[in-house]
Amino acid sequence: QPALTQSASVSGSPGQSITISCTGTSSDIGGYNYVSWFQQHPGKAPKLMIYDVYERPSGVSDRFSGSKSGITASLTISGLQAEDEADYYCCSYAGSSTLVFGGGTRLTVL
Amino acid sequence: QVQLVQSGAEVKNPGASVKVSCEASGYTFTNYAMHWVRQAPGQRLEWMGLINTGNGRTKYSQRFQGRVSITRDTSASTGYMELSSLGSEDTAVYYCAREFRVIPNFDYWGQGTLVTVSS
């Protein structure tokens, strides 16, 4: 299962908004509304930020939002803060109890 | 509170096997599937497989089929991931994660176990 496609890096200044895209196929993102986004700081385990395309777990800031159109899912972070600097991974259900991760996007807060 | 605590770092020779454990606490172990995900140095997250902790059924990524075995001990609330025929490309941090309701909602993760394959 090839990885979902994410841009390698994105950057923004504090207070700005950024969007990270994640492109798959009709067999994963396009076929199911089960897309999650994870934040990973260096040397740490990933943290669930968005699930079921746009749902936020308890405790996750409402500055984080998710959406999907066709075979592309997106994560938007508004009001960028220094602590948002991290790697972000999308992940989609791919049928038959399998899943696939994206290649990861490094967010730099300038 | 929910915790997943993994076993310590391992160093293995090429061709050997490694078994990593993940002890769960703070919830009913058999109510949530457990997944295993690895991350080679500087690389992306890679899904390896899962176990239905209730009935023991497993599903593996095709990439690791035949080389990985995921098991669980319900009496110890512990999941295990064993990877055989190790090569240098298997050097990575291995994570266990709890599935919340459906794939791929992983709401809790272990701290990670570094496996180094080197002669």
PDB file of all heavy atoms in Angstrom, chain A residues 3 34 36 38 40 44-46 48 51-52 89 91 96-99 101 103, chain B residues 35 37 39 43-45 47 50 59 95 100-106 109-110:
ATOM      1  N   ALA A   3       2.220   5.020   0.410  1.00  0.00           N
ATOM      2  CA  ALA A   3       1.896   6.020   1.409  1.00  0.00           C
ATOM      3  C   ALA A   3       1.012   7.103   0.799  1.00  0.00           C
ATOM      4  O   ALA A   3       1.075   7.380  -0.400  1.00  0.00           O
ATOM      5  CB  ALA A   3       3.181   6.645   1.951  1.00  0.00           C
ATOM      6  N   TYR A  34     -12.851   7.891   7.281  1.00  0.00           N
ATOM      7  CA  TYR A  34     -12.021   7.532   8.427  1.00  0.00           C
ATOM      8  C   TYR A  34     -10.608   8.019   8.168  1.00  0.00           C
ATOM      9  O   TYR A  34      -9.723   7.263   7.775  1.00  0.00           O
ATOM     10  CB  TYR A  34     -12.035   6.028   8.657  1.00  0.00           C
ATOM     11  CG  TYR A  34     -13.378   5.476   9.038  1.00  0.00           C
ATOM     12  CD1 TYR A  34     -13.927   4.387   8.365  1.00  0.00           C
ATOM     13  CD2 TYR A  34     -14.121   6.064  10.061  1.00  0.00           C
ATOM     14  CE1 TYR A  34     -15.162   3.880   8.717  1.00  0.00           C
ATOM     15  CE2 TYR A  34     -15.370   5.568  10.409  1.00  0.00           C
ATOM     16  CZ  TYR A  34     -15.889   4.484   9.736  1.00  0.00           C
ATOM     17  OH  TYR A  34     -17.123   3.998  10.074  1.00  0.00           O
ATOM     18  N   SER A  36      -7.531  10.245  10.037  1.00  0.00           N
ATOM     19  CA  SER A  36      -7.010  10.818  11.274  1.00  0.00           C
ATOM     20  C   SER A  36      -5.763  11.637  10.981  1.00  0.00           C
ATOM     21  O   SER A  36      -5.098  11.436   9.963  1.00  0.00           O
ATOM     22  CB  SER A  36      -6.654   9.714  12.275  1.00  0.00           C
ATOM     23  OG  SER A  36      -7.793   9.022  12.714  1.00  0.00           O
ATOM     24  N   PHE A  38      -2.210  13.087  13.047  1.00  0.00           N
ATOM     25  CA  PHE A  38      -1.386  12.950  14.236  1.00  0.00           C
ATOM     26  C   PHE A  38      -0.300  14.024  14.223  1.00  0.00           C
ATOM     27  O   PHE A  38       0.269  14.338  13.180  1.00  0.00           O
ATOM     28  CB  PHE A  38      -0.733  11.573  14.288  1.00  0.00           C
ATOM     29  CG  PHE A  38      -1.728  10.447  14.353  1.00  0.00           C
ATOM     30  CD1 PHE A  38      -2.179   9.835  13.192  1.00  0.00           C
ATOM     31  CD2 PHE A  38      -2.231  10.017  15.570  1.00  0.00           C
ATOM     32  CE1 PHE A  38      -3.107   8.812  13.240  1.00  0.00           C
ATOM     33  CE2 PHE A  38      -3.164   8.994  15.631  1.00  0.00           C
ATOM     34  CZ  PHE A  38      -3.605   8.392  14.462  1.00  0.00           C
ATOM     35  N   GLN A  40       3.413  14.947  15.881  1.00  0.00           N
ATOM     36  CA  GLN A  40       4.547  14.291  16.518  1.00  0.00           C
ATOM     37  C   GLN A  40       5.689  15.275  16.730  1.00  0.00           C
ATOM     38  O   GLN A  40       6.245  15.785  15.769  1.00  0.00           O
ATOM     39  CB  GLN A  40       5.033  13.094  15.694  1.00  0.00           C
ATOM     40  CG  GLN A  40       6.107  12.287  16.411  1.00  0.00           C
ATOM     41  CD  GLN A  40       6.596  11.104  15.597  1.00  0.00           C
ATOM     42  OE1 GLN A  40       6.692  11.155  14.379  1.00  0.00           O
ATOM     43  NE2 GLN A  40       6.919  10.006  16.274  1.00  0.00           N
ATOM     44  N   LYS A  44       9.091  12.051  20.452  1.00  0.00           N
ATOM     45  CA  LYS A  44       7.867  11.744  21.188  1.00  0.00           C
ATOM     46  C   LYS A  44       6.960  10.841  20.373  1.00  0.00           C
ATOM     47  O   LYS A  44       7.090  10.727  19.154  1.00  0.00           O
ATOM     48  CB  LYS A  44       7.107  13.036  21.529  1.00  0.00           C
ATOM     49  CG  LYS A  44       7.892  14.000  22.386  1.00  0.00           C
ATOM     50  CD  LYS A  44       8.163  13.437  23.756  1.00  0.00           C
ATOM     51  CE  LYS A  44       8.793  14.480  24.666  1.00  0.00           C
ATOM     52  NZ  LYS A  44       9.116  13.898  26.010  1.00  0.00           N
ATOM     53  N   ALA A  45       6.015  10.206  21.068  1.00  0.00           N
ATOM     54  CA  ALA A  45       5.013   9.410  20.372  1.00  0.00           C
ATOM     55  C   ALA A  45       4.013  10.329  19.683  1.00  0.00           C
ATOM     56  O   ALA A  45       3.793  11.462  20.118  1.00  0.00           O
ATOM     57  CB  ALA A  45       4.289   8.505  21.366  1.00  0.00           C
ATOM     58  N   PRO A  46       3.411   9.868  18.607  1.00  0.00           N
ATOM     59  CA  PRO A  46       2.377  10.666  17.944  1.00  0.00           C
ATOM     60  C   PRO A  46       1.202  10.934  18.867  1.00  0.00           C
ATOM     61  O   PRO A  46       0.942  10.175  19.801  1.00  0.00           O
ATOM     62  CB  PRO A  46       1.951   9.778  16.762  1.00  0.00           C
ATOM     63  CG  PRO A  46       3.113   8.868  16.532  1.00  0.00           C
ATOM     64  CD  PRO A  46       3.685   8.614  17.902  1.00  0.00           C
ATOM     65  N   LEU A  48      -2.990  12.029  18.680  1.00  0.00           N
ATOM     66  CA  LEU A  48      -4.177  12.158  17.830  1.00  0.00           C
ATOM     67  C   LEU A  48      -4.738  13.565  17.924  1.00  0.00           C
ATOM     68  O   LEU A  48      -5.069  14.037  19.018  1.00  0.00           O
ATOM     69  CB  LEU A  48      -5.234  11.133  18.266  1.00  0.00           C
ATOM     70  CG  LEU A  48      -6.534  11.105  17.486  1.00  0.00           C
ATOM     71  CD1 LEU A  48      -6.301  10.670  16.034  1.00  0.00           C
ATOM     72  CD2 LEU A  48      -7.545  10.167  18.162  1.00  0.00           C
ATOM     73  N   TYR A  51      -9.875  12.966  14.188  1.00  0.00           N
ATOM     74  CA  TYR A  51     -10.303  11.637  13.764  1.00  0.00           C
ATOM     75  C   TYR A  51     -11.621  11.744  13.017  1.00  0.00           C
ATOM     76  O   TYR A  51     -12.297  12.772  13.095  1.00  0.00           O
ATOM     77  CB  TYR A  51     -10.399  10.674  14.962  1.00  0.00           C
ATOM     78  CG  TYR A  51     -11.501  11.009  15.948  1.00  0.00           C
ATOM     79  CD1 TYR A  51     -12.746  10.392  15.869  1.00  0.00           C
ATOM     80  CD2 TYR A  51     -11.290  11.932  16.987  1.00  0.00           C
ATOM     81  CE1 TYR A  51     -13.755  10.689  16.769  1.00  0.00           C
ATOM     82  CE2 TYR A  51     -12.298  12.231  17.891  1.00  0.00           C
ATOM     83  CZ  TYR A  51     -13.518  11.610  17.782  1.00  0.00           C
ATOM     84  OH  TYR A  51     -14.511  11.901  18.688  1.00  0.00           O
ATOM     85  N   ASP A  52     -11.972  10.692  12.302  1.00  0.00           N
ATOM     86  CA  ASP A  52     -13.206  10.702  11.496  1.00  0.00           C
ATOM     87  C   ASP A  52     -13.308  11.958  10.633  1.00  0.00           C
ATOM     88  O   ASP A  52     -14.360  12.599  10.570  1.00  0.00           O
ATOM     89  CB  ASP A  52     -14.435  10.591  12.402  1.00  0.00           C
ATOM     90  CG  ASP A  52     -14.567   9.233  13.062  1.00  0.00           C
ATOM     91  OD1 ASP A  52     -13.738   8.348  12.762  1.00  0.00           O
ATOM     92  OD2 ASP A  52     -15.493   9.055  13.891  1.00  0.00           O
ATOM     93  N   TYR A  89       1.139  13.842  10.493  1.00  0.00           N
ATOM     94  CA  TYR A  89       0.887  12.689   9.643  1.00  0.00           C
ATOM     95  C   TYR A  89      -0.616  12.495   9.469  1.00  0.00           C
ATOM     96  O   TYR A  89      -1.369  12.500  10.453  1.00  0.00           O
ATOM     97  CB  TYR A  89       1.467  11.426  10.261  1.00  0.00           C
ATOM     98  CG  TYR A  89       2.973  11.382  10.285  1.00  0.00           C
ATOM     99  CD1 TYR A  89       3.683  11.866  11.387  1.00  0.00           C
ATOM    100  CD2 TYR A  89       3.694  10.863   9.215  1.00  0.00           C
ATOM    101  CE1 TYR A  89       5.072  11.835  11.409  1.00  0.00           C
ATOM    102  CE2 TYR A  89       5.075  10.824   9.233  1.00  0.00           C
ATOM    103  CZ  TYR A  89       5.755  11.311  10.324  1.00  0.00           C
ATOM    104  OH  TYR A  89       7.131  11.273  10.344  1.00  0.00           O
ATOM    105  N   CYS A  91      -3.601   9.789   8.141  1.00  0.00           N
ATOM    106  CA  CYS A  91      -3.746   8.346   8.160  1.00  0.00           C
ATOM    107  C   CYS A  91      -5.172   8.019   7.733  1.00  0.00           C
ATOM    108  O   CYS A  91      -6.125   8.675   8.179  1.00  0.00           O
ATOM    109  CB  CYS A  91      -3.482   7.823   9.568  1.00  0.00           C
ATOM    110  SG  CYS A  91      -3.506   6.037   9.709  1.00  0.00           S
ATOM    111  N   SER A  96     -10.551  -3.644   4.543  1.00  0.00           N
ATOM    112  CA  SER A  96     -10.087  -4.950   5.044  1.00  0.00           C
ATOM    113  C   SER A  96      -9.227  -4.829   6.284  1.00  0.00           C
ATOM    114  O   SER A  96      -8.220  -5.524   6.425  1.00  0.00           O
ATOM    115  CB  SER A  96      -9.305  -5.688   3.938  1.00  0.00           C
ATOM    116  OG  SER A  96     -10.110  -5.872   2.809  1.00  0.00           O
ATOM    117  N   SER A  97      -9.622  -3.927   7.166  1.00  0.00           N
ATOM    118  CA  SER A  97      -8.922  -3.749   8.451  1.00  0.00           C
ATOM    119  C   SER A  97      -7.475  -3.314   8.285  1.00  0.00           C
ATOM    120  O   SER A  97      -6.624  -3.645   9.110  1.00  0.00           O
ATOM    121  CB  SER A  97      -8.979  -5.033   9.298  1.00  0.00           C
ATOM    122  OG  SER A  97     -10.320  -5.374   9.598  1.00  0.00           O
ATOM    123  N   THR A  98      -7.183  -2.602   7.222  1.00  0.00           N
ATOM    124  CA  THR A  98      -5.831  -2.066   7.030  1.00  0.00           C
ATOM    125  C   THR A  98      -5.879  -0.549   6.987  1.00  0.00           C
ATOM    126  O   THR A  98      -6.952   0.056   6.863  1.00  0.00           O
ATOM    127  CB  THR A  98      -5.182  -2.576   5.730  1.00  0.00           C
ATOM    128  OG1 THR A  98      -5.905  -2.035   4.615  1.00  0.00           O
ATOM    129  CG2 THR A  98      -5.198  -4.097   5.648  1.00  0.00           C
ATOM    130  N   LEU A  99      -4.736   0.059   7.093  1.00  0.00           N
ATOM    131  CA  LEU A  99      -4.666   1.502   7.038  1.00  0.00           C
ATOM    132  C   LEU A  99      -3.351   1.913   6.404  1.00  0.00           C
ATOM    133  O   LEU A  99      -2.445   1.096   6.234  1.00  0.00           O
ATOM    134  CB  LEU A  99      -4.807   2.112   8.441  1.00  0.00           C
ATOM    135  CG  LEU A  99      -3.713   1.712   9.447  1.00  0.00           C
ATOM    136  CD1 LEU A  99      -2.587   2.738   9.475  1.00  0.00           C
ATOM    137  CD2 LEU A  99      -4.313   1.587  10.842  1.00  0.00           C
ATOM    138  N   PHE A 101      -0.519   5.377   6.259  1.00  0.00           N
ATOM    139  CA  PHE A 101      -0.097   6.692   6.720  1.00  0.00           C
ATOM    140  C   PHE A 101       0.402   7.536   5.557  1.00  0.00           C
ATOM    141  O   PHE A 101       0.819   7.009   4.526  1.00  0.00           O
ATOM    142  CB  PHE A 101       1.048   6.559   7.736  1.00  0.00           C
ATOM    143  CG  PHE A 101       0.620   6.167   9.114  1.00  0.00           C
ATOM    144  CD1 PHE A 101       0.711   4.849   9.531  1.00  0.00           C
ATOM    145  CD2 PHE A 101       0.145   7.119  10.010  1.00  0.00           C
ATOM    146  CE1 PHE A 101       0.333   4.482  10.818  1.00  0.00           C
ATOM    147  CE2 PHE A 101      -0.235   6.767  11.295  1.00  0.00           C
ATOM    148  CZ  PHE A 101      -0.143   5.438  11.699  1.00  0.00           C
ATOM    149  N   GLY A 103       3.242  10.507   4.231  1.00  0.00           N
ATOM    150  CA  GLY A 103       4.683  10.624   4.372  1.00  0.00           C
ATOM    151  C   GLY A 103       5.126  11.610   5.436  1.00  0.00           C
ATOM    152  O   GLY A 103       6.307  11.649   5.796  1.00  0.00           O
TER     153      GLY A 103
ATOM    154  N   HIS B  35      -2.798  -1.844  17.965  1.00  0.00           N
ATOM    155  CA  HIS B  35      -2.056  -1.780  16.713  1.00  0.00           C
ATOM    156  C   HIS B  35      -0.570  -1.600  17.005  1.00  0.00           C
ATOM    157  O   HIS B  35      -0.190  -1.119  18.082  1.00  0.00           O
ATOM    158  CB  HIS B  35      -2.521  -0.599  15.852  1.00  0.00           C
ATOM    159  CG  HIS B  35      -3.918  -0.727  15.338  1.00  0.00           C
ATOM    160  ND1 HIS B  35      -4.215  -0.825  13.994  1.00  0.00           N
ATOM    161  CD2 HIS B  35      -5.109  -0.760  15.993  1.00  0.00           C
ATOM    162  CE1 HIS B  35      -5.523  -0.912  13.839  1.00  0.00           C
ATOM    163  NE2 HIS B  35      -6.087  -0.880  15.039  1.00  0.00           N
ATOM    164  N   VAL B  37       2.889   0.137  15.166  1.00  0.00           N
ATOM    165  CA  VAL B  37       3.346   1.087  14.160  1.00  0.00           C
ATOM    166  C   VAL B  37       4.845   1.289  14.375  1.00  0.00           C
ATOM    167  O   VAL B  37       5.291   1.362  15.521  1.00  0.00           O
ATOM    168  CB  VAL B  37       2.611   2.442  14.321  1.00  0.00           C
ATOM    169  CG1 VAL B  37       3.174   3.491  13.357  1.00  0.00           C
ATOM    170  CG2 VAL B  37       1.119   2.273  14.109  1.00  0.00           C
ATOM    171  N   GLN B  39       8.637   3.368  13.132  1.00  0.00           N
ATOM    172  CA  GLN B  39       9.184   4.573  12.514  1.00  0.00           C
ATOM    173  C   GLN B  39      10.703   4.457  12.472  1.00  0.00           C
ATOM    174  O   GLN B  39      11.367   4.536  13.502  1.00  0.00           O
ATOM    175  CB  GLN B  39       8.768   5.812  13.303  1.00  0.00           C
ATOM    176  CG  GLN B  39       9.147   7.122  12.643  1.00  0.00           C
ATOM    177  CD  GLN B  39       8.535   8.311  13.358  1.00  0.00           C
ATOM    178  OE1 GLN B  39       8.431   8.339  14.593  1.00  0.00           O
ATOM    179  NE2 GLN B  39       8.108   9.314  12.614  1.00  0.00           N
ATOM    180  N   GLN B  43      12.177   8.794   9.277  1.00  0.00           N
ATOM    181  CA  GLN B  43      11.202   8.326   8.286  1.00  0.00           C
ATOM    182  C   GLN B  43       9.768   8.457   8.784  1.00  0.00           C
ATOM    183  O   GLN B  43       9.530   8.857   9.921  1.00  0.00           O
ATOM    184  CB  GLN B  43      11.494   6.871   7.920  1.00  0.00           C
ATOM    185  CG  GLN B  43      12.875   6.636   7.359  1.00  0.00           C
ATOM    186  CD  GLN B  43      13.117   7.435   6.089  1.00  0.00           C
ATOM    187  OE1 GLN B  43      12.304   7.396   5.147  1.00  0.00           O
ATOM    188  NE2 GLN B  43      14.213   8.170   6.039  1.00  0.00           N
ATOM    189  N   ARG B  44       8.846   8.095   7.926  1.00  0.00           N
ATOM    190  CA  ARG B  44       7.417   8.223   8.244  1.00  0.00           C
ATOM    191  C   ARG B  44       6.957   7.089   9.152  1.00  0.00           C
ATOM    192  O   ARG B  44       7.658   6.105   9.351  1.00  0.00           O
ATOM    193  CB  ARG B  44       6.607   8.189   6.943  1.00  0.00           C
ATOM    194  CG  ARG B  44       6.590   6.824   6.259  1.00  0.00           C
ATOM    195  CD  ARG B  44       5.766   6.868   4.987  1.00  0.00           C
ATOM    196  NE  ARG B  44       5.651   5.569   4.346  1.00  0.00           N
ATOM    197  CZ  ARG B  44       4.636   4.750   4.526  1.00  0.00           C
ATOM    198  NH1 ARG B  44       3.638   5.089   5.334  1.00  0.00           N
ATOM    199  NH2 ARG B  44       4.585   3.583   3.895  1.00  0.00           N
ATOM    200  N   LEU B  45       5.750   7.236   9.691  1.00  0.00           N
ATOM    201  CA  LEU B  45       5.097   6.180  10.438  1.00  0.00           C
ATOM    202  C   LEU B  45       4.668   5.082   9.474  1.00  0.00           C
ATOM    203  O   LEU B  45       4.232   5.362   8.355  1.00  0.00           O
ATOM    204  CB  LEU B  45       3.879   6.728  11.175  1.00  0.00           C
ATOM    205  CG  LEU B  45       4.155   7.833  12.208  1.00  0.00           C
ATOM    206  CD1 LEU B  45       2.838   8.434  12.685  1.00  0.00           C
ATOM    207  CD2 LEU B  45       4.958   7.282  13.376  1.00  0.00           C
ATOM    208  N   TRP B  47       2.444   1.385   9.400  1.00  0.00           N
ATOM    209  CA  TRP B  47       1.570   0.458  10.116  1.00  0.00           C
ATOM    210  C   TRP B  47       2.018  -0.973   9.889  1.00  0.00           C
ATOM    211  O   TRP B  47       2.311  -1.371   8.754  1.00  0.00           O
ATOM    212  CB  TRP B  47       0.139   0.633   9.626  1.00  0.00           C
ATOM    213  CG  TRP B  47      -0.857  -0.265  10.282  1.00  0.00           C
ATOM    214  CD1 TRP B  47      -1.307  -0.175  11.569  1.00  0.00           C
ATOM    215  CD2 TRP B  47      -1.532  -1.379   9.686  1.00  0.00           C
ATOM    216  NE1 TRP B  47      -2.227  -1.170  11.797  1.00  0.00           N
ATOM    217  CE2 TRP B  47      -2.393  -1.918  10.675  1.00  0.00           C
ATOM    218  CE3 TRP B  47      -1.505  -1.968   8.427  1.00  0.00           C
ATOM    219  CZ2 TRP B  47      -3.212  -3.022  10.432  1.00  0.00           C
ATOM    220  CZ3 TRP B  47      -2.321  -3.061   8.184  1.00  0.00           C
ATOM    221  CH2 TRP B  47      -3.162  -3.587   9.180  1.00  0.00           C
ATOM    222  N   LEU B  50      -2.474  -5.358  13.532  1.00  0.00           N
ATOM    223  CA  LEU B  50      -3.332  -5.162  14.691  1.00  0.00           C
ATOM    224  C   LEU B  50      -3.777  -6.489  15.268  1.00  0.00           C
ATOM    225  O   LEU B  50      -3.700  -7.528  14.600  1.00  0.00           O
ATOM    226  CB  LEU B  50      -4.571  -4.347  14.298  1.00  0.00           C
ATOM    227  CG  LEU B  50      -5.616  -5.047  13.405  1.00  0.00           C
ATOM    228  CD1 LEU B  50      -6.706  -5.724  14.261  1.00  0.00           C
ATOM    229  CD2 LEU B  50      -6.261  -4.064  12.448  1.00  0.00           C
ATOM    230  N   LYS B  59      -4.509  -8.952  11.965  1.00  0.00           N
ATOM    231  CA  LYS B  59      -4.429  -8.508  10.573  1.00  0.00           C
ATOM    232  C   LYS B  59      -3.072  -7.846  10.431  1.00  0.00           C
ATOM    233  O   LYS B  59      -2.699  -7.007  11.247  1.00  0.00           O
ATOM    234  CB  LYS B  59      -5.538  -7.504  10.252  1.00  0.00           C
ATOM    235  CG  LYS B  59      -5.508  -7.009   8.824  1.00  0.00           C
ATOM    236  CD  LYS B  59      -6.025  -8.039   7.855  1.00  0.00           C
ATOM    237  CE  LYS B  59      -6.119  -7.465   6.448  1.00  0.00           C
ATOM    238  NZ  LYS B  59      -6.756  -8.415   5.500  1.00  0.00           N
ATOM    239  N   TYR B  95       6.032   1.322  18.078  1.00  0.00           N
ATOM    240  CA  TYR B  95       4.990   1.824  18.967  1.00  0.00           C
ATOM    241  C   TYR B  95       3.789   0.874  18.985  1.00  0.00           C
ATOM    242  O   TYR B  95       3.413   0.325  17.937  1.00  0.00           O
ATOM    243  CB  TYR B  95       4.452   3.172  18.483  1.00  0.00           C
ATOM    244  CG  TYR B  95       5.419   4.332  18.528  1.00  0.00           C
ATOM    245  CD1 TYR B  95       6.054   4.768  17.368  1.00  0.00           C
ATOM    246  CD2 TYR B  95       5.639   5.037  19.704  1.00  0.00           C
ATOM    247  CE1 TYR B  95       6.908   5.854  17.383  1.00  0.00           C
ATOM    248  CE2 TYR B  95       6.497   6.128  19.727  1.00  0.00           C
ATOM    249  CZ  TYR B  95       7.125   6.527  18.564  1.00  0.00           C
ATOM    250  OH  TYR B  95       7.969   7.614  18.585  1.00  0.00           O
ATOM    251  N   PHE B 100      -9.362   3.514  19.105  1.00  0.00           N
ATOM    252  CA  PHE B 100     -10.584   4.060  19.689  1.00  0.00           C
ATOM    253  C   PHE B 100     -11.729   3.930  18.694  1.00  0.00           C
ATOM    254  O   PHE B 100     -11.772   4.643  17.718  1.00  0.00           O
ATOM    255  CB  PHE B 100     -10.343   5.516  20.086  1.00  0.00           C
ATOM    256  CG  PHE B 100     -11.590   6.335  20.260  1.00  0.00           C
ATOM    257  CD1 PHE B 100     -12.528   6.002  21.226  1.00  0.00           C
ATOM    258  CD2 PHE B 100     -11.847   7.435  19.455  1.00  0.00           C
ATOM    259  CE1 PHE B 100     -13.677   6.751  21.388  1.00  0.00           C
ATOM    260  CE2 PHE B 100     -12.992   8.192  19.610  1.00  0.00           C
ATOM    261  CZ  PHE B 100     -13.911   7.855  20.579  1.00  0.00           C
ATOM    262  N   ARG B 101     -12.560   2.985  18.878  1.00  0.00           N
ATOM    263  CA  ARG B 101     -13.806   2.796  18.107  1.00  0.00           C
ATOM    264  C   ARG B 101     -13.556   2.226  16.706  1.00  0.00           C
ATOM    265  O   ARG B 101     -14.126   1.206  16.336  1.00  0.00           O
ATOM    266  CB  ARG B 101     -14.622   4.085  18.055  1.00  0.00           C
ATOM    267  CG  ARG B 101     -16.064   3.912  17.650  1.00  0.00           C
ATOM    268  CD  ARG B 101     -16.869   5.162  17.904  1.00  0.00           C
ATOM    269  NE  ARG B 101     -16.291   6.328  17.255  1.00  0.00           N
ATOM    270  CZ  ARG B 101     -16.425   6.613  15.964  1.00  0.00           C
ATOM    271  NH1 ARG B 101     -17.084   5.825  15.172  1.00  0.00           N
ATOM    272  NH2 ARG B 101     -15.872   7.706  15.461  1.00  0.00           N
ATOM    273  N   VAL B 102     -12.810   2.917  15.896  1.00  0.00           N
ATOM    274  CA  VAL B 102     -12.555   2.430  14.538  1.00  0.00           C
ATOM    275  C   VAL B 102     -11.123   2.751  14.131  1.00  0.00           C
ATOM    276  O   VAL B 102     -10.480   3.628  14.697  1.00  0.00           O
ATOM    277  CB  VAL B 102     -13.515   3.032  13.493  1.00  0.00           C
ATOM    278  CG1 VAL B 102     -14.941   2.617  13.748  1.00  0.00           C
ATOM    279  CG2 VAL B 102     -13.379   4.540  13.433  1.00  0.00           C
ATOM    280  N   ILE B 103     -10.645   2.027  13.116  1.00  0.00           N
ATOM    281  CA  ILE B 103      -9.368   2.364  12.481  1.00  0.00           C
ATOM    282  C   ILE B 103      -9.567   3.669  11.727  1.00  0.00           C
ATOM    283  O   ILE B 103     -10.564   3.810  11.031  1.00  0.00           O
ATOM    284  CB  ILE B 103      -8.966   1.239  11.497  1.00  0.00           C
ATOM    285  CG1 ILE B 103      -8.791  -0.081  12.248  1.00  0.00           C
ATOM    286  CG2 ILE B 103      -7.730   1.615  10.711  1.00  0.00           C
ATOM    287  CD1 ILE B 103      -8.656  -1.271  11.328  1.00  0.00           C
ATOM    288  N   PRO B 104      -8.615   4.622  11.717  1.00  0.00           N
ATOM    289  CA  PRO B 104      -7.341   4.634  12.426  1.00  0.00           C
ATOM    290  C   PRO B 104      -7.326   5.641  13.579  1.00  0.00           C
ATOM    291  O   PRO B 104      -6.460   6.500  13.650  1.00  0.00           O
ATOM    292  CB  PRO B 104      -6.384   5.079  11.328  1.00  0.00           C
ATOM    293  CG  PRO B 104      -7.184   6.081  10.541  1.00  0.00           C
ATOM    294  CD  PRO B 104      -8.650   5.702  10.696  1.00  0.00           C
ATOM    295  N   ASN B 105      -8.306   5.525  14.445  1.00  0.00           N
ATOM    296  CA  ASN B 105      -8.367   6.435  15.595  1.00  0.00           C
ATOM    297  C   ASN B 105      -7.520   5.876  16.722  1.00  0.00           C
ATOM    298  O   ASN B 105      -7.990   5.086  17.538  1.00  0.00           O
ATOM    299  CB  ASN B 105      -9.814   6.598  16.063  1.00  0.00           C
ATOM    300  CG  ASN B 105     -10.719   7.114  14.971  1.00  0.00           C
ATOM    301  OD1 ASN B 105     -10.261   7.630  13.957  1.00  0.00           O
ATOM    302  ND2 ASN B 105     -12.011   6.974  15.173  1.00  0.00           N
ATOM    303  N   PHE B 106      -6.277   6.281  16.780  1.00  0.00           N
ATOM    304  CA  PHE B 106      -5.364   5.805  17.812  1.00  0.00           C
ATOM    305  C   PHE B 106      -5.251   6.870  18.893  1.00  0.00           C
ATOM    306  O   PHE B 106      -4.528   7.852  18.733  1.00  0.00           O
ATOM    307  CB  PHE B 106      -3.981   5.521  17.213  1.00  0.00           C
ATOM    308  CG  PHE B 106      -4.009   4.490  16.115  1.00  0.00           C
ATOM    309  CD1 PHE B 106      -3.127   4.564  15.049  1.00  0.00           C
ATOM    310  CD2 PHE B 106      -4.920   3.444  16.139  1.00  0.00           C
ATOM    311  CE1 PHE B 106      -3.153   3.622  14.035  1.00  0.00           C
ATOM    312  CE2 PHE B 106      -4.956   2.494  15.126  1.00  0.00           C
ATOM    313  CZ  PHE B 106      -4.062   2.592  14.080  1.00  0.00           C
ATOM    314  N   TRP B 109      -0.950   6.008  22.835  1.00  0.00           N
ATOM    315  CA  TRP B 109       0.234   5.371  22.272  1.00  0.00           C
ATOM    316  C   TRP B 109       1.201   4.994  23.392  1.00  0.00           C
ATOM    317  O   TRP B 109       1.261   5.664  24.435  1.00  0.00           O
ATOM    318  CB  TRP B 109       0.950   6.330  21.327  1.00  0.00           C
ATOM    319  CG  TRP B 109       0.211   6.679  20.079  1.00  0.00           C
ATOM    320  CD1 TRP B 109      -0.958   7.394  19.978  1.00  0.00           C
ATOM    321  CD2 TRP B 109       0.572   6.340  18.739  1.00  0.00           C
ATOM    322  NE1 TRP B 109      -1.333   7.525  18.659  1.00  0.00           N
ATOM    323  CE2 TRP B 109      -0.406   6.892  17.882  1.00  0.00           C
ATOM    324  CE3 TRP B 109       1.644   5.628  18.176  1.00  0.00           C
ATOM    325  CZ2 TRP B 109      -0.352   6.750  16.483  1.00  0.00           C
ATOM    326  CZ3 TRP B 109       1.696   5.492  16.795  1.00  0.00           C
ATOM    327  CH2 TRP B 109       0.710   6.046  15.966  1.00  0.00           C
ATOM    328  N   GLY B 110       1.943   3.923  23.153  1.00  0.00           N
ATOM    329  CA  GLY B 110       3.049   3.617  24.045  1.00  0.00           C
ATOM    330  C   GLY B 110       4.176   4.617  23.844  1.00  0.00           C
ATOM    331  O   GLY B 110       4.137   5.440  22.916  1.00  0.00           O
TER     332      GLY B 110
END
